[in-house]
Amino acid sequence: GYQHSCALKSDGTIVCWGGNAMGQLGDGTVVDKATPVAVAGLTGAIALSASTFHTCALKSDGTVACWGSNASGQLGDGTTTDRLSPTAVPGLMGVVALSNGPALHTCALTANGGIACWGFNNEGQLGDGTTTNRHSPTAVPGLTDIAALSTGGYHSCALKADASVACWGYNGYGQLGDGTTNSQPSPTAVPGLGGVSALGTGVYHSCALKADGSMLCWGYNPNGSLGDGTTVSKPSPTAVPGLTGVAALGVGTYHSCALKADGSLACWGFNDRGQLGDGTSSVDRTTPTAVSGGAVFWK
């Protein structure tokens, strides 16, 4: 999250630590914790997603529980009341994946390939064709056969089973990838983008990993978060030049990272706090830059 972190343990419990002003640690208090504390009464968790001031857990029975800030209904319990401990999302079942946007919305992928979203919807990031906040899960109409999803700051994207991508919500920097900067409250195909195996979304940019190990990014780019060697925002998918053999991707607020099949790691974009890991800070990178140390992170 923004000021907190959480870990899923092998026994199905979750521990969290850090800032807790909105109850985002789920321990029943609003007291910050400098060491991990158990999320109260939560068992059977198989996945989690932490946003700015709220956290959600996917349970082994396909249900979801959320806690923390709920000002825009992002906990999905039908209210706007903050919750200091896990609160079930009523009526939501068969969930296989979760994603909390860095701002104030949440989306769930269900086993039948559909997506439901809830929370803040000022730019249509819930995908239901409106800009009305939703306090309960609301289906994204016309969206089927979805394999994965990713929620950005004020936009969302879905990877379809045919390896194509659709996005919706705020598009002021071209982060929907449809070649325009017009916001869309309903899913809009990313033209010409196929062969995608994974997605990642930041606050105002998006990236896709292709099955051939290459990456493309689009949207906000003043800090080089697209990795194309420029600081010009792009409304359509743009290849990250020279980057091959990528096995996984991670997209931060204004920076992006790639894990390569050889276990090395490269990052690019905003670097005001050293988030690129190249041994510097306050030096943005517009192309992939190796993370210092030469360690094998995964193989």
Side-chain angles (χ1 to χ4, degrees):
Y2 173 55
Q3 295 175 332
H4 77 293
S5 304
C6 293
L8 171 63
K9 300 186 71 175
S10 57
D11 64 3
T13 62
I14 291 175
V15 294
C16 298
W17 58 95
N20 197 28
M22 301 290 185
Q24 60 264 45
L25 302 188
D27 68 341
T29 78
V30 289
V31 179
D32 296 349
K33 300 297 194 308
T35 56
V37 292
V39 175
L42 185 66
T43 59
I46 58 172
L48 72 136
S49 185
S51 183
T52 305
F53 297 115
H54 78 287
T55 313
C56 292
L58 170 60
K59 302 188 69 174
S60 57
D61 61 3
T63 62
V64 173
C66 299
W67 57 94
S69 175
N70 197 26
S72 298
Q74 61 264 43
L75 302 188
D77 67 348
T79 78
T80 55
T81 303
D82 294 348
R83 304 294 182 181
L84 309 186
S85 57
T87 302
V89 179
L92 187 62
M93 297 177 290
V95 175
V96 296
L98 278 178
S99 186
N100 293 0
L104 304 168
H105 77 293
T106 307
C107 292
L109 171 63
T110 59
N112 64 3
I115 291 178
C117 299
W118 58 95
F120 198 41
N121 196 30
N122 66 323
E123 297 286 350
Q125 57 264 48
L126 302 188
D128 67 346
T130 78
T131 54
T132 302
N133 292 352
R134 303 295 182 183
H135 304 157
S136 300
T138 302
V140 180
L143 205 55
T144 59
D145 297 322
I146 302 304
L149 78 157
S150 184
T151 49
Y154 302 93
H155 74 292
S156 308
C157 291
L159 171 61
K160 303 191 74 174
D162 65 2
S164 65
V165 174
C167 298
W168 57 94
Y170 182 55
N171 197 31
Y173 299 99
Q175 59 265 48
L176 301 189
D178 67 347
T180 78
T181 53
N182 301 321
S183 298
Q184 302 288 349
S186 299
T188 302
V190 180
L193 184 61
V196 175
S197 59
L199 282 176
T201 49
V203 173
Y204 298 124
H205 78 291
S206 309
C207 293
L209 169 62
K210 298 193 71 174
D212 64 5
S214 63
M215 274 183 64
L216 302 98
C217 297
W218 57 95
Y220 187 80
N221 199 32
N223 301 107
S225 48
L226 304 188
D228 69 342
T230 78
T231 54
V232 179
S233 297
K234 302 294 195 313
S236 298
T238 302
V240 181
L243 190 62
T244 59
V246 178
L249 78 163
V251 180
T253 306
Y254 301 111
H255 74 292
S256 310
C257 292
L259 172 64
K260 301 190 72 174
D262 64 4
S264 64
L265 202 60
C267 297
W268 57 94
F270 198 33
N271 196 32
D272 65 325
R273 302 302 175 101
Q275 54 264 56
L276 302 188
D278 66 348
T280 73
S281 61
S282 300
V283 179
D284 297 344
R285 304 293 183 181
T286 61
T287 56
T289 302
V291 174
S292 300
V296 174
F297 290 86
W298 171 86
K299 197 169 184 179

